[in-house]
Amino acid sequence: MKTNIFHRFITLTFNDLVSENVCREQLKRWDARISREILGPQWSKMRDARPFAFYGMEKQNRNPHWHGVVKLCSTDTKSLAQICSNFDDVAELAWKALVPAGTMDLKEIDGRSSSDVFVDYITKSVTFEDNLAKFIVPDEFSPQYPSITLVKAA
């Protein structure tokens, strides 16, 4: 993950105890809404322009929330600055539409060193038992590819 420079760090909260499946499904729906908002109705066919994101679940049994880093890309018709601005404008609205009790915190990431700090923050819980399976890897929600299932090593 540290080979990428990410543009945004986000925290998506539920402010309610919900199952891991609900958490994943809401994140998947949010990802689709964001992609459609910033890329338009043909978003699912624009694999290379879709947000490239990595998410980690924290505090599943007390206060479930996602931390994520998102890399955004320019398109033939929109600059990176336009895409980032559009993302910032719609991200929280899309989350609140799906999770009315939830909140979202969005931070701009400035450069590789800052990007690495946020990646380290998200992956800090990977050492805890069973947390690896709670990570969402880039392209996991891509409609063109099957979901990746992480299996715990024996």
Side-chain angles (χ1 to χ4, degrees):
M1 296 310 308
K2 288 189 176 182
T3 60
N4 289 285
I5 296 177
F6 293 94
H7 300 106
R8 299 294 184 263
F9 174 78
I10 58 172
T11 301
L12 300 166
T13 67
F14 294 87
N15 294 323
D16 196 4
L17 286 178
V18 292
S19 72
E20 182 180 342
N21 288 340
V22 169
C23 291
R24 286 178 100 69
E25 188 58 33
Q26 293 298 64
L27 181 63
K28 182 178 181 177
R29 288 181 179 153
W30 180 80
D31 180 77
R33 284 181 183 219
I34 291 301
S35 295
R36 182 179 172 85
E37 286 292 329
I38 63 177
L39 300 174
Q42 298 295 314
W43 68 271
S44 66
K45 297 177 182 173
M46 301 172 72
R47 182 181 181 274
D48 292 339
R50 290 188 66 218
F52 181 86
F54 179 77
Y55 302 96
M57 170 61 66
E58 261 191 11
K59 299 182 182 174
Q60 173 65 48
N61 298 319
R62 293 175 299 194
N63 178 27
H65 59 277
W66 294 105
H67 289 298
V69 286
V70 181
K71 179 179 182 177
L72 300 162
C73 302
S74 61
T75 67
D76 293 340
T77 59
K78 293 182 183 178
S79 70
L80 179 59
Q82 289 172 311
I83 294 286
C84 288
S85 177
N86 193 216
F87 180 90
D88 295 349
D89 290 344
V90 300
E92 185 172 12
L93 293 172
W95 185 248
K96 291 294 280 182
L98 291 167
V99 184
T103 59
M104 179 183 169
D105 184 46
L106 183 143
K107 293 182 177 23
E108 183 176 349
I109 298 175
D110 184 26
R112 176 168 304 285
S113 61
S114 294
S115 189
D116 289 351
V117 168
F118 287 113
V119 169
D120 286 344
Y121 183 81
I122 293 169
T123 59
K124 72 183 183 291
S125 64
V126 79
T127 57
F128 298 118
E129 187 175 326
D130 296 326
N131 269 7
L132 182 59
K134 294 179 183 172
F135 281 87
I136 305 294
V137 296
D139 289 335
E140 183 167 339
F141 296 146
S142 177
Q144 297 175 344
Y145 299 94
S147 292
I148 297 169
T149 303
L150 299 174
V151 179
K152 187 176 170 184

